[in-house]
């Protein structure tokens, strides 16, 4: 299978349900009953105004009793909903669908009583369908859409005609009635699909951005933890040295073997052990500024470290572009850069056959990282959509065997692209060769290629002088 832009982020992030993202079946629970009640009050007000104006201003003879009965049914339904349910009531899928079915049926009854499709307000039959498309599942939206189509078709054939005071009937030409009916039917389908597609993309983007924020927060905590460890190593160094000194003096004074001498030796040994542990956790005495900045190549190697033992070989090529200074740019260890590069490398490892190449390069104007693999490459169908959230592709049986249990959500590359662009980077996704062509015989990489480039002034860390490796500890907020 061609390489898809759906980097698996399960190594670094919990599942979507652990993020608290609602499933598609739960989004209807976001609809407040009071919102639909308020919209219905607006509709009721408009209906009463339309009935009054039609009779008073245009002299149209309506069956006022039946019209007011239809409006009264909606008023009674609203009052029952207000008094029976609390203000914070949120509707289930079926409850929301039934309320919207009631609204479309009540409106169809009024249109039946007021001339059918000769009444221009028949266009309002679209409103409940659009609300369903933006808030309910596809099944409920289809039920409501089909119901609206059936009701519109019914009132186009059977209705009480509009009469003036002189008894004349107001009737549009058949061609206009047919055109109006066709426009409503097409509107139900087109506007329903349009509203549903836009809402789905907005919801997906919202969920993906939330996942990005949580991934960034996790990376920030890991970075902060390194600073805490360095500070702890510094602060505990003095008391441990004192413990060792006192225990050594006790051992010297206790020449003869005894329980006290054994205890003193044990204290000294444990103090040495604590010193070794702290020394391995952080550099004692000063805050390690490498926790805040590092060479770009070192940062790329650190980002790739979790994937070194996954059965694929990761090659690093670190060097300047021809004719430029050999000194690597020192960049800030931003969690966005680390997590973004890590996801890109993970995607390459996931789809590579055997090898991945990570090239770090720079010149006087820019610095960048290229990540390539020897896999099949990005699918041409997916290449233009790389970076979209929740982008899924079909998996072949071979892909399923190569990556068992993989159910990528398309968030990996979206998060990487979002985080890296936040740091000022420009990303490009391409293939090093035609994905439909057979692999080259020279063994060189021929799969996917991702390039990340920053302006050198954006990514460079501020200089700390000749002692840039060490600096005074900074206070940590509780």
């Amino acid at each position: 299978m061609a390489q898809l832009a759906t980097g698996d982020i399960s190594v670094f992030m919990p599942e979507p349900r652990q993020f608290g993202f609602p499933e598609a079946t739960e989004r209807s629970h976001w609809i407040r009953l009071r919102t639909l009640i308020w919209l219905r009050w607006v509709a009721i007000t408009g209906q009463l105004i339309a009935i009054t104006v039609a009779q008073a201003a245009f002299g149209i003879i309506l069956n006022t009793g039946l019209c007011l009965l239809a409006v009264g049914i909606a008023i009674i339904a609203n009052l029952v909903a207000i008094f029976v349910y609390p203000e914070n009531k949120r509707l289930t899928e079926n409850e929301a669908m039934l309320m919207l079915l009631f609204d479309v049926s009540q409106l169809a009854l009024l249109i039946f009583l007021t001339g059918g499709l000769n009444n221009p307000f028949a266009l309002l039959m679209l409103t409940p369908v659009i609300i369903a498309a933006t808030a309910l599942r596809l099944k409920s939206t289809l039920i409501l859409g089909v119901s609206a189509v059936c009701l519109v078709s019914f009132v186009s054939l059977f209705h009480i005609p509009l009469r003036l005071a002189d008894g004349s009937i107001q009737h549009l030409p058949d061609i206009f009635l047919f055109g109006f009916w066709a426009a409503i039917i097409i509107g139900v389908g087109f506007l329903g699909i349009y509203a549903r597609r836009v809402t789905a993309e907005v919801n997906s983007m919202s969920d993906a951005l939330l996942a990005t924020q949580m991934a960034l927060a996790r990376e920030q905590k890991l970075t902060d933890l390194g600073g805490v460890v360095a500070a702890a190593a510094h602060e505990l160094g003095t008391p441990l040295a004192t413990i060792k000194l006192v225990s050594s003096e006790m051992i010297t004074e206790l020449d003869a073997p005894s329980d006290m001498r054994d205890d003193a030796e044990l204290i000294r040994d444990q103090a040495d052990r604590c010193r070794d542990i702290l020394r391995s956790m952080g550099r004692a005495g000063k805050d390690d500024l490498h926790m805040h900045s590092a060479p770009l190549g070192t940062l790329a190697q650190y980002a790739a470290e979790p994937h070194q033992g996954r059965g694929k070989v990761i090659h690093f090529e670190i060097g300047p572009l021809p004719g430029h200074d050999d000194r690597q740019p020192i960049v800030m260890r931003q969690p966005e850069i680390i997590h973004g590069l890590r996801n890109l490398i993970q995607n390459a490892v996931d789809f590579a056959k055997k090898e991945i190449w990570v090239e770090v390069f720079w010149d006087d104007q820019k610095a960048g990282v290229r990540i390539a693999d020897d896999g099949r490459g990005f699918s041409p169908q997916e290449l233009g959509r790389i970076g979209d959230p929740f982008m899924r592709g079909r998996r072949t049986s071979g892909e399923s065997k190569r990556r068992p249990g993989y159910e990528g959500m398309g968030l990996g590359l979206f998060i990487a692209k979002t985080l890296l662009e936040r740091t000022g980077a420009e990303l490009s996704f391409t293939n090093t060769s035609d994905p439909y062509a057979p692999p080259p015989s020279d063994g060189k990489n021929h799969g996917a290629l991702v390039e990340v480039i920053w302006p050198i002034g954006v990514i460079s860390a501020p200089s700390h002088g000749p002692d840039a490796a060490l600096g005074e500890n900074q206070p940590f907020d509780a």
Side-chain angles (χ1 to χ4, degrees):
M1 177 179 178
Q3 180 172 4
L4 299 177
T6 54
D8 180 8
I9 58 172
S10 58
V11 176
F12 307 105
M13 297 172 58
E15 294 298 320
R17 295 293 301 169
Q18 292 176 279
F19 275 116
F21 298 158
E23 297 286 350
T25 57
E26 298 176 356
R27 292 196 183 276
S28 60
H29 290 266
W30 292 0
I31 305 175
R32 294 176 66 244
L33 175 62
R34 291 297 165 132
T35 300
L36 292 185
I37 290 175
W38 181 83
L39 291 174
R40 187 178 290 166
W41 282 128
V42 174
I44 290 171
T45 303
Q47 291 166 6
L48 291 174
I49 293 174
I51 293 172
T52 302
V53 172
Q55 295 184 102
F58 298 99
I60 298 176
I61 304 301
L62 299 175
N63 192 326
T64 307
L66 291 178
C67 290
L68 292 180
L69 176 62
V71 176
I73 293 174
I75 294 174
I76 293 172
N78 255 12
L79 293 176
V80 170
I82 289 173
F83 290 110
V84 171
Y85 297 102
E87 291 189 12
N88 61 351
K89 167 70 175 176
R90 293 188 179 273
L91 300 175
T92 63
E93 177 81 19
N94 290 333
E95 290 171 344
M97 182 186 69
L98 290 175
M99 283 200 68
L100 293 173
L101 273 176
F102 173 85
D103 290 335
V104 76
S105 301
Q106 187 262 351
L107 183 57
L109 176 59
L110 267 179
I111 293 172
F112 169 81
L113 297 172
T114 56
L117 294 189
N118 294 286
N119 184 345
F121 290 105
L123 186 65
L124 295 177
M125 293 286 287
L126 295 172
T127 304
V129 179
I130 295 175
I131 294 175
T134 59
L136 304 182
R137 286 182 297 172
L138 179 61
K139 179 181 177 180
S140 300
T141 303
L142 288 176
I143 292 174
L144 204 64
V146 171
S147 300
V149 169
C150 293
L151 289 172
V152 168
S153 300
F154 177 82
V155 298
S156 68
L157 300 175
F158 308 100
H159 55 269
I160 297 175
L162 292 175
R163 296 180 181 273
L164 297 180
D166 59 3
S168 60
I169 296 176
Q170 299 297 304
H171 189 275
L172 291 173
D174 290 342
I175 188 170
F176 286 101
L177 287 176
F178 176 78
F180 194 23
W181 172 84
I184 294 177
I185 300 303
I186 294 173
V188 167
F190 174 75
L191 293 179
I193 295 173
Y194 182 85
R196 182 169 182 81
R197 180 63 182 269
V198 171
T199 303
E201 290 186 0
V202 170
N203 290 334
S204 296
M205 184 63 68
S206 176
D207 291 346
L209 288 174
L210 178 59
T212 302
Q213 293 171 357
M214 297 187 73
L216 179 58
R218 180 184 183 278
E219 198 70 42
Q220 183 66 57
K221 288 181 179 179
L222 292 177
T223 301
D224 293 342
L225 181 60
V228 172
V229 169
H234 168 56
E235 299 297 334
L236 293 176
T238 300
L240 284 176
T242 303
I243 293 173
K244 181 178 180 181
L245 177 62
V246 173
S247 61
S248 298
E249 291 178 351
M250 292 176 63
I251 294 172
T252 302
E253 293 178 0
L254 298 172
D255 295 331
S258 63
D259 292 340
M260 293 184 63
R261 181 183 175 89
D262 293 340
D263 292 341
E265 290 177 347
L266 179 61
I267 292 172
R268 182 190 61 185
D269 294 341
Q270 292 302 311
D272 288 338
R273 183 183 176 190
C274 290
R275 179 201 61 195
D276 295 337
I277 292 174
L278 290 174
R279 187 173 291 170
S280 66
M281 292 172 65
R283 183 174 297 175
K286 297 286 184 179
D287 183 16
D288 189 350
L289 293 182
H290 278 297
M291 296 302 301
H292 307 294
S293 62
L296 181 57
T298 302
L299 210 61
Q301 291 172 330
Y302 174 74
E305 186 175 352
H307 306 293
Q308 293 283 5
R310 295 182 55 193
K312 311 288 177 66
V313 180
I314 303 179
H315 303 280
F316 288 92
E317 300 177 6
I318 302 174
L321 295 176
H324 293 278
D325 195 340
D326 289 342
R327 289 178 299 178
Q328 287 192 53
I330 305 299
V331 302
M332 297 299 297
R333 292 175 60 97
Q334 300 180 56
E336 293 95 331
I337 297 177
I338 295 173
H339 199 88
L341 292 178
R342 183 168 292 167
N343 272 9
L344 294 178
I345 295 173
Q346 177 185 352
N347 193 71
V349 172
D350 285 340
F351 290 97
K353 295 179 180 178
K354 295 180 180 180
E355 296 178 292
I356 298 92
W357 291 264
V358 179
E359 179 186 356
V360 180
F361 60 92
W362 63 89
D363 60 19
D364 296 336
Q365 304 296 326
K366 62 181 182 295
V369 178
R370 292 192 188 99
I371 302 169
D373 61 70
D374 62 350
R376 181 59 178 169
F378 293 118
S379 165
Q381 295 82 4
E382 305 289 342
L383 194 58
R385 298 179 54 212
I386 295 176
D388 288 349
F390 301 102
M391 186 182 70
R392 300 175 183 269
R394 294 184 179 180
R395 304 178 68 209
T396 63
S397 58
E399 176 68 15
S400 300
K401 293 178 181 179
R402 190 165 66 251
R403 306 183 70 198
Y406 173 75
E407 293 292 341
M409 299 175 294
L411 280 178
L413 290 182
F414 169 80
I415 289 177
K417 186 172 183 291
T418 302
L419 293 180
L420 291 171
E421 286 179 347
R422 182 181 296 182
T423 66
E426 292 186 5
L427 280 75
S428 60
F429 301 87
T430 186
N431 293 313
T432 57
S433 65
D434 184 356
Y436 293 121
S441 57
D442 56 9
K444 294 183 179 180
N445 57 307
H446 57 274
L449 174 65
V450 181
E451 188 173 66
V452 187
I453 298 179
W454 294 268
I456 198 69
V458 171
I459 196 176
S460 295
S463 175
H464 294 280
D467 297 328
L470 301 176
E472 295 296 333
N473 284 317
Q474 299 299 317
F476 289 90
D477 296 331

